[in-house]
Amino acid sequence: MSIQLHEENGGTMIVVQVSGKLVKADYEHFVPEFERLVQAHGKLRLLFDMAGFHGWELSAAWEDLKFGVKHFDDIERLAMVGEKKWQQGMARFCKPFTKAQVRYFDHSDAAEARKWLEQANGTD
């Protein structure tokens, strides 16, 4: 249904909010904006907020896979914030598809996710 992203802390953190069920058209807007941010800031630290997220249509899942392959090395840290067991499983599933440090946080721990993203490299 939608992917929204915005910069925080002068571009040091990018918040990506997904909601509903994603469709292929959602990626037509998201991917160019993400690529603009990579060009502007280099490797990104992402807070991926999945509150209200219900998954992908098949064509959107394919777009997501292509996005992951293309941007394998563009994310430094990825904090996945969710509210459902399958979303926690997504965090484990995506680790082999990125060089990013990936951690899952329950939605009630969103402030902790932000702190983790702001930490210096090499600390966990």
Side-chain angles (χ1 to χ4, degrees), residues 34-91:
F34 180 87
E35 290 173 348
R36 181 192 68 77
L37 292 169
V38 168
Q39 287 294 322
H41 304 291
K43 286 189 180 218
L44 301 176
R45 291 179 178 220
L46 298 181
L47 177 77
F48 189 71
D49 186 345
M50 299 179 283
F53 179 49
H54 302 294
W56 301 263
E57 287 187 355
L58 186 57
S59 61
W62 176 246
E63 293 301 313
D64 195 67
L65 180 62
K66 290 190 313 186
F67 171 83
V69 169
K70 183 175 183 180
H71 296 287
F72 180 81
D73 197 30
D74 292 332
I75 302 170
E76 182 179 1
R77 281 189 175 208
L78 174 60
M80 300 179 77
V81 179
E83 55 195 2
K84 296 183 171 78
K85 189 86 172 157
W86 70 267
Q87 294 171 336
Q88 185 174 8
M90 270 181 49

Side-chain angles (χ1 to χ4, degrees), residues 12 18 23 28 35-36 39 80 93 95 103 109 118:
T12 60
V18 292
V23 298
E28 293 170 7
E35 290 173 348
R36 181 192 68 77
Q39 287 294 322
M80 300 179 77
F93 176 78
K95 285 182 181 183
R103 281 188 60 187
D109 296 325
E118 293 169 356

